[in-house]
Coordinates of all heavy atoms in Angstrom, one line a residue:
M264 N -14.3 -10.3 15.6 CA -15.2 -10.3 14.4 C -15.1 -11.7 13.8 O -13.9 -12.2 13.8 CB -14.6 -9.3 13.4 CG -15.3 -9.3 12.0 SD -14.9 -8.0 10.9 CE -13.3 -8.3 10.4
T265 N -16.2 -12.3 13.5 CA -16.2 -13.7 12.9 C -15.9 -13.6 11.4 O -16.0 -12.5 10.7 CB -17.5 -14.3 13.0 OG1 -18.5 -13.6 12.3 CG2 -17.9 -14.4 14.6
D266 N -15.3 -14.7 10.9 CA -15.0 -14.8 9.5 C -16.2 -14.6 8.5 O -16.1 -14.2 7.4 CB -14.3 -16.1 9.2 CG -13.5 -16.0 7.8 OD1 -12.9 -14.9 7.6 OD2 -13.5 -17.0 7.1
S267 N -17.5 -14.8 9.1 CA -18.6 -14.7 8.2 C -19.2 -13.3 8.2 O -20.1 -12.9 7.5 CB -19.8 -15.7 8.7 OG -20.0 -15.5 10.0
A268 N -18.7 -12.4 9.1 CA -19.1 -11.0 9.2 C -18.8 -10.3 7.9 O -17.7 -10.5 7.3 CB -18.5 -10.4 10.4
P269 N -19.7 -9.4 7.5 CA -19.4 -8.7 6.2 C -18.1 -7.8 6.4 O -18.0 -7.2 7.5 CB -20.7 -7.8 5.9 CG -21.5 -8.0 7.1 CD -20.9 -9.1 8.0
L270 N -17.3 -7.8 5.4 CA -15.9 -7.0 5.5 C -16.2 -5.8 4.6 O -16.5 -5.9 3.4 CB -14.9 -7.9 5.0 CG -13.4 -7.4 5.1 CD1 -13.2 -7.2 6.7 CD2 -12.5 -8.4 4.6
K271 N -15.9 -4.6 5.2 CA -16.0 -3.4 4.5 C -14.7 -2.7 4.4 O -14.0 -2.7 5.5 CB -17.0 -2.5 5.2 CG -18.4 -3.1 5.2 CD -19.4 -2.2 5.8 CE -20.8 -2.8 5.7 NZ -21.8 -2.0 6.3
P272 N -14.4 -1.9 3.3 CA -13.2 -1.1 3.3 C -13.2 0.0 4.3 O -14.2 0.6 4.5 CB -13.2 -0.5 1.8 CG -14.1 -1.5 1.1 CD -15.2 -2.0 2.1
K273 N -12.1 0.2 4.9 CA -11.9 1.4 5.9 C -11.8 2.7 5.0 O -11.5 2.6 3.8 CB -10.6 1.2 6.6 CG -10.6 0.1 7.7 CD -9.4 0.1 8.4 CE -9.3 -0.9 9.4 NZ -8.1 -1.0 10.1
P274 N -12.0 3.9 5.6 CA -11.8 5.1 4.8 C -10.4 5.2 4.5 O -9.5 4.7 5.1 CB -12.3 6.2 5.8 CG -13.1 5.5 6.9 CD -12.6 4.1 6.9
C275 N -10.2 6.0 3.4 CA -8.8 6.3 3.0 C -7.9 6.9 4.0 O -8.4 7.9 4.6 CB -8.9 7.1 1.7 SG -7.3 7.6 1.1
R276 N -6.7 6.5 4.1 CA -5.8 6.9 5.1 C -5.3 8.4 4.8 O -4.9 9.1 5.6 CB -4.7 6.0 5.4 CG -3.7 6.1 4.3 CD -2.5 5.0 4.6 NE -1.5 4.9 3.7 CZ -1.5 4.6 2.4 NH1 -2.6 4.0 2.0 NH2 -0.5 4.6 1.6
K277 N -5.3 8.7 3.5 CA -4.7 10.0 3.0 C -5.8 11.1 3.1 O -5.5 12.2 3.5 CB -4.3 9.9 1.6 CG -3.0 9.0 1.5 CD -2.6 9.0 0.1 CE -1.2 8.1 0.0 NZ -0.8 8.0 -1.3
C278 N -7.0 10.9 2.7 CA -8.0 12.0 2.6 C -9.4 11.7 3.4 O -10.1 12.5 3.5 CB -8.4 12.3 1.2 SG -9.3 10.9 0.2
G279 N -9.5 10.5 3.7 CA -10.8 10.2 4.6 C -12.0 9.7 3.7 O -13.1 9.4 4.3
S280 N -11.8 9.7 2.4 CA -13.0 9.3 1.5 C -13.2 7.8 1.7 O -12.3 7.1 2.1 CB -12.7 9.7 0.0 OG -12.7 11.1 0.0
A281 N -14.3 7.4 1.2 CA -14.7 5.9 1.3 C -13.7 5.2 0.3 O -13.2 5.6 -0.6 CB -16.1 5.7 0.8
G282 N -13.5 3.9 0.7 CA -12.8 3.0 -0.2 C -13.7 2.2 -1.1 O -14.8 1.8 -0.6
E283 N -13.4 2.0 -2.3 CA -14.3 1.3 -3.3 C -13.7 0.1 -3.9 O -12.5 0.1 -4.2 CB -14.7 2.3 -4.5 CG -15.5 3.5 -4.1 CD -15.8 4.4 -5.3 OE1 -15.1 4.3 -6.4 OE2 -16.7 5.2 -5.3
V284 N -14.5 -1.0 -3.8 CA -14.0 -2.2 -4.5 C -14.1 -2.1 -5.9 O -15.2 -1.8 -6.4 CB -14.7 -3.4 -3.8 CG1 -14.2 -4.7 -4.5 CG2 -14.6 -3.5 -2.4
I285 N -13.0 -2.4 -6.7 CA -13.0 -2.4 -8.1 C -12.7 -3.8 -8.6 O -12.0 -4.5 -8.1 CB -12.0 -1.4 -8.7 CG1 -12.0 -0.1 -8.1 CG2 -11.9 -1.5 -10.2 CD1 -13.3 0.7 -8.4
K286 N -13.5 -4.2 -9.7 CA -13.5 -5.6 -10.2 C -13.1 -5.4 -11.7 O -13.8 -4.6 -12.3 CB -14.8 -6.4 -10.1 CG -14.6 -7.8 -10.7 CD -15.9 -8.5 -10.6 CE -15.6 -9.9 -11.1 NZ -16.8 -10.6 -11.4
A287 N -12.1 -6.2 -12.1 CA -11.7 -6.1 -13.5 C -11.4 -7.5 -14.0 O -10.5 -8.1 -13.5 CB -10.4 -5.2 -13.7
G288 N -12.2 -8.1 -14.8 CA -12.0 -9.4 -15.2 C -12.8 -10.3 -14.2 O -13.4 -9.9 -13.3
S289 N -12.5 -11.6 -14.3 CA -13.2 -12.6 -13.4 C -12.6 -12.8 -12.0 O -13.1 -13.1 -11.0 CB -13.3 -13.9 -14.1 OG -12.0 -14.5 -14.3
R290 N -11.2 -12.5 -11.9 CA -10.5 -12.6 -10.7 C -9.5 -11.6 -10.3 O -8.3 -11.9 -10.0 CB -9.8 -14.0 -10.7 CG -10.7 -15.2 -10.8 CD -10.0 -16.5 -10.7 NE -9.2 -16.7 -9.7 CZ -9.4 -17.4 -8.6 NH1 -10.6 -17.9 -8.3 NH2 -8.5 -17.6 -7.6
R291 N -9.8 -10.4 -10.6 CA -9.0 -9.2 -10.4 C -9.7 -8.2 -9.6 O -10.7 -7.6 -10.1 CB -8.4 -8.5 -11.6 CG -7.1 -8.9 -11.9 CD -6.5 -8.3 -13.1 NE -6.5 -6.8 -13.1 CZ -6.4 -6.1 -14.1 NH1 -6.4 -6.5 -15.3 NH2 -6.4 -4.7 -14.0
Y292 N -9.4 -8.0 -8.4 CA -10.1 -7.1 -7.5 C -9.1 -6.2 -6.8 O -7.9 -6.6 -6.5 CB -10.9 -7.9 -6.4 CG -12.1 -8.6 -6.8 CD1 -11.8 -9.9 -7.3 CD2 -13.3 -8.1 -6.8 CE1 -12.9 -10.8 -7.7 CE2 -14.4 -8.9 -7.1 CZ -14.2 -10.2 -7.6 OH -15.3 -11.0 -8.0
W293 N -9.4 -5.0 -6.5 CA -8.6 -4.1 -5.6 C -9.5 -3.0 -5.1 O -10.7 -2.9 -5.4 CB -7.5 -3.5 -6.3 CG -7.8 -2.5 -7.5 CD1 -8.1 -1.2 -7.3 CD2 -8.1 -2.8 -8.8 NE1 -8.4 -0.7 -8.6 CE2 -8.4 -1.7 -9.5 CE3 -7.9 -4.0 -9.5 CZ2 -8.7 -1.6 -10.8 CZ3 -8.2 -3.9 -10.9 CH2 -8.6 -2.7 -11.6
V294 N -9.1 -2.4 -4.1 CA -9.8 -1.2 -3.4 C -9.0 0.0 -3.7 O -7.8 0.0 -3.6 CB -10.0 -1.5 -1.9 CG1 -10.8 -0.3 -1.3 CG2 -10.8 -2.8 -1.7
E295 N -9.7 1.1 -4.1 CA -9.0 2.4 -4.3 C -9.9 3.4 -3.6 O -11.2 3.3 -3.3 CB -8.9 2.6 -5.7 CG -10.2 2.8 -6.6 CD -9.9 3.0 -8.1 OE1 -9.0 2.3 -8.6 OE2 -10.7 3.8 -8.7
C296 N -9.4 4.5 -3.4 CA -10.0 5.7 -2.8 C -11.1 6.2 -3.8 O -10.9 6.2 -5.0 CB -9.1 6.8 -2.5 SG -9.8 8.3 -1.9
A297 N -12.3 6.6 -3.2 CA -13.3 7.1 -4.1 C -12.9 8.3 -4.8 O -13.5 8.7 -5.8 CB -14.6 7.5 -3.2
R298 N -11.8 9.0 -4.3 CA -11.3 10.2 -5.0 C -10.1 9.9 -5.9 O -9.3 10.8 -6.3 CB -11.0 11.2 -4.1 CG -12.2 11.7 -3.3 CD -12.0 12.8 -2.3 NE -11.4 13.9 -2.9 CZ -10.7 14.9 -2.4 NH1 -10.5 14.8 -1.1 NH2 -10.3 16.0 -3.1
Y299 N -9.9 8.5 -6.3 CA -8.8 8.2 -7.2 C -9.0 8.6 -8.5 O -10.1 8.5 -9.1 CB -8.6 6.7 -7.0 CG -7.4 6.2 -7.7 CD1 -6.2 6.2 -7.2 CD2 -7.6 5.6 -9.0 CE1 -5.1 5.6 -7.8 CE2 -6.4 5.1 -9.7 CZ -5.2 5.2 -9.1 OH -4.1 4.7 -9.8
G300 N -7.9 9.0 -9.2 CA -7.9 9.3 -10.6 C -8.9 10.2 -11.1 O -8.9 11.3 -10.7
R301 N -9.8 9.8 -12.1 CA -10.8 10.7 -12.7 C -11.8 11.2 -11.7 O -12.5 12.2 -12.0 CB -11.4 10.0 -13.9 CG -12.3 8.9 -13.6 CD -13.0 8.3 -14.8 NE -13.9 7.3 -14.4 CZ -13.6 6.1 -14.0 NH1 -12.3 5.7 -13.9 NH2 -14.6 5.2 -13.7
N302 N -12.0 10.6 -10.6 CA -13.0 11.0 -9.6 C -12.5 12.1 -8.7 O -13.2 12.5 -7.9 CB -13.4 9.8 -8.8 CG -14.1 8.7 -9.6 OD1 -14.8 9.1 -10.6 ND2 -14.0 7.5 -9.3
G303 N -11.2 12.4 -8.8 CA -10.7 13.3 -7.7 C -9.1 13.4 -7.9 O -8.5 13.1 -8.9
N304 N -8.6 13.6 -6.7 CA -7.1 13.9 -6.7 C -6.4 13.1 -5.8 O -5.1 13.3 -5.5 CB -6.8 15.4 -6.5 CG -7.4 15.8 -5.2 OD1 -7.8 15.1 -4.4 ND2 -7.2 17.2 -4.9
C305 N -6.9 12.0 -5.1 CA -6.2 11.1 -4.3 C -5.6 9.9 -5.0 O -6.3 9.5 -5.9 CB -7.2 10.6 -3.1 SG -6.3 9.7 -1.8
N306 N -4.5 9.5 -4.6 CA -3.8 8.4 -5.4 C -3.7 7.1 -4.6 O -2.8 6.2 -4.8 CB -2.5 8.8 -5.8 CG -1.5 9.2 -4.8 OD1 -1.8 9.2 -3.6 ND2 -0.3 9.4 -5.1
S307 N -4.5 6.9 -3.5 CA -4.5 5.7 -2.7 C -5.1 4.6 -3.4 O -6.3 4.6 -3.7 CB -5.1 6.1 -1.3 OG -4.7 5.0 -0.5
I308 N -4.4 3.4 -3.5 CA -5.0 2.2 -4.1 C -4.2 1.0 -3.4 O -3.1 1.1 -3.0 CB -4.7 2.2 -5.6 CG1 -5.4 1.1 -6.3 CG2 -3.2 2.3 -5.9 CD1 -5.4 1.2 -7.8
G309 N -5.1 0.0 -3.2 CA -4.6 -1.3 -2.6 C -4.0 -2.2 -3.6 O -4.3 -2.1 -4.8
D310 N -3.5 -3.3 -3.0 CA -2.9 -4.4 -3.8 C -4.0 -5.2 -4.5 O -5.1 -5.4 -3.9 CB -1.9 -5.2 -3.1 CG -0.6 -4.5 -2.6 OD1 -0.2 -3.6 -3.4 OD2 -0.1 -5.0 -1.7
Q311 N -3.7 -5.7 -5.6 CA -4.8 -6.7 -6.3 C -4.8 -7.9 -5.5 O -3.9 -8.4 -4.9 CB -4.4 -6.9 -7.8 CG -4.5 -5.7 -8.6 CD -4.3 -6.1 -10.1 OE1 -4.2 -7.3 -10.5 NE2 -3.9 -5.1 -10.9
A312 N -6.0 -8.6 -5.7 CA -6.2 -9.9 -5.1 C -7.1 -10.8 -6.0 O -7.8 -10.2 -6.9 CB -6.9 -9.8 -3.7
D313 N -7.3 -12.1 -5.8 CA -8.1 -12.9 -6.5 C -9.5 -12.9 -6.2 O -10.4 -13.3 -6.9 CB -7.6 -14.4 -6.5 CG -6.3 -14.6 -7.2 OD1 -6.0 -13.9 -8.1 OD2 -5.6 -15.5 -6.8
N314 N -9.8 -12.2 -5.0 CA -11.3 -12.2 -4.6 C -11.5 -10.8 -3.8 O -10.6 -10.2 -3.4 CB -11.6 -13.4 -3.8 CG -10.8 -13.6 -2.6 OD1 -10.8 -12.8 -1.6 ND2 -10.0 -14.6 -2.5
R315 N -12.8 -10.6 -3.6 CA -13.2 -9.3 -3.0 C -12.7 -9.3 -1.6 O -12.2 -8.2 -1.2 CB -14.7 -9.3 -3.1 CG -15.4 -8.0 -2.5 CD -16.9 -8.1 -2.6 NE -17.4 -7.0 -1.9 CZ -17.7 -5.8 -2.6 NH1 -17.4 -5.7 -3.8 NH2 -18.3 -4.8 -1.9
R316 N -12.8 -10.3 -0.8 CA -12.5 -10.3 0.6 C -11.1 -10.0 0.8 O -10.6 -9.2 1.6 CB -12.9 -11.7 1.3 CG -12.5 -11.7 2.7 CD -13.1 -13.0 3.3 NE -14.6 -12.9 3.6 CZ -15.0 -12.3 4.6 NH1 -14.3 -11.7 5.5 NH2 -16.4 -12.3 4.8
D317 N -10.2 -10.6 0.0 CA -8.7 -10.4 0.1 C -8.3 -9.0 -0.3 O -7.4 -8.4 0.3 CB -8.0 -11.5 -0.8 CG -8.0 -12.8 -0.1 OD1 -8.4 -12.9 1.1 OD2 -7.6 -13.8 -0.7
A318 N -9.0 -8.5 -1.3 CA -8.8 -7.1 -1.8 C -9.1 -6.1 -0.7 O -8.3 -5.2 -0.4 CB -9.5 -6.8 -3.0
I319 N -10.2 -6.3 0.0 CA -10.5 -5.5 1.2 C -9.6 -5.6 2.3 O -9.2 -4.6 3.0 CB -11.9 -5.8 1.7 CG1 -13.0 -5.4 0.5 CG2 -12.3 -5.0 3.0 CD1 -14.4 -5.8 0.8
R320 N -9.1 -6.9 2.6 CA -8.0 -7.1 3.6 C -6.8 -6.3 3.3 O -6.1 -5.7 4.2 CB -7.7 -8.6 3.8 CG -9.0 -9.3 4.5 CD -8.6 -10.6 4.8 NE -9.7 -11.4 5.6 CZ -10.0 -12.7 5.5 NH1 -9.4 -13.4 4.6 NH2 -11.0 -13.0 6.1
N321 N -6.4 -6.5 2.0 CA -5.2 -5.7 1.6 C -5.3 -4.2 1.8 O -4.4 -3.5 2.3 CB -4.9 -5.9 0.1 CG -4.5 -7.4 -0.2 OD1 -4.1 -8.1 0.7 ND2 -4.5 -7.7 -1.5
W322 N -6.4 -3.7 1.5 CA -6.7 -2.2 1.6 C -6.7 -1.8 3.2 O -6.1 -0.9 3.6 CB -8.0 -1.8 1.0 CG -8.6 -0.5 1.3 CD1 -9.4 -0.1 2.3 CD2 -8.1 0.8 0.6 NE1 -9.7 1.2 2.2 CE2 -8.9 1.8 1.4 CE3 -7.3 1.1 -0.4 CZ2 -8.8 3.1 0.8 CZ3 -7.1 2.4 -0.8 CH2 -8.0 3.3 -0.2
N323 N -7.5 -2.6 3.9 CA -7.6 -2.4 5.4 C -6.2 -2.4 6.1 O -6.0 -1.7 7.1 CB -8.6 -3.2 6.0 CG -10.0 -2.9 5.6 OD1 -10.3 -1.8 5.0 ND2 -10.9 -3.7 5.9
A324 N -5.4 -3.2 5.5 CA -4.0 -3.4 6.2 C -3.2 -2.1 6.1 O -2.3 -1.8 7.0 CB -3.2 -4.6 5.5
I325 N -3.4 -1.3 5.1 CA -2.7 -0.1 4.8 C -3.4 1.0 5.3 O -2.8 2.2 5.2 CB -2.2 0.1 3.3 CG1 -3.4 0.4 2.5 CG2 -1.3 -1.1 2.9 CD1 -3.1 0.7 1.0
N326 N -4.6 1.0 5.7 CA -5.4 2.0 6.2 C -5.7 2.0 7.6 O -5.6 1.1 8.3 CB -6.7 2.2 5.4 CG -6.6 2.9 4.0 OD1 -6.2 3.9 3.9 ND2 -6.5 2.0 3.0

């Protein structure tokens, strides 16, 4: 995979649902399970990062 290829979150390792990129503020990103919190009952969430790409990499490393 080249560095310019689009990076997508892998499915959640706990329940298999999609990973969603969340943005809060100008430089706070993380990926969480689509069934996280109010959307369901899964508690899988990735580490925060300064940009979208790093947040996805953090998520994919645990999934």
Side-chain angles (χ1 to χ4, degrees):
M264 178 167 73
T265 64
D266 199 38
S267 62
L270 190 59
K271 295 182 181 180
K273 292 180 181 178
C275 177
R276 74 182 185 285
K277 292 182 179 179
C278 71
S280 293
E283 294 182 338
V284 178
I285 306 297
K286 181 181 181 198
S289 62
R290 293 179 57 96
R291 256 180 64 199
Y292 294 84
W293 65 89
V294 178
E295 63 186 39
C296 176
R298 296 181 63 198
Y299 183 83
R301 71 181 182 280
N302 297 325
N304 58 7
C305 188
N306 64 354
S307 189
I308 187 168
D310 292 334
Q311 288 187 19
D313 289 336
N314 59 64
R315 180 181 178 88
R316 181 173 285 278
D317 287 345
I319 294 172
R320 285 182 178 147
N321 290 344
W322 171 263
N323 288 349
I325 65 170
N326 282 293

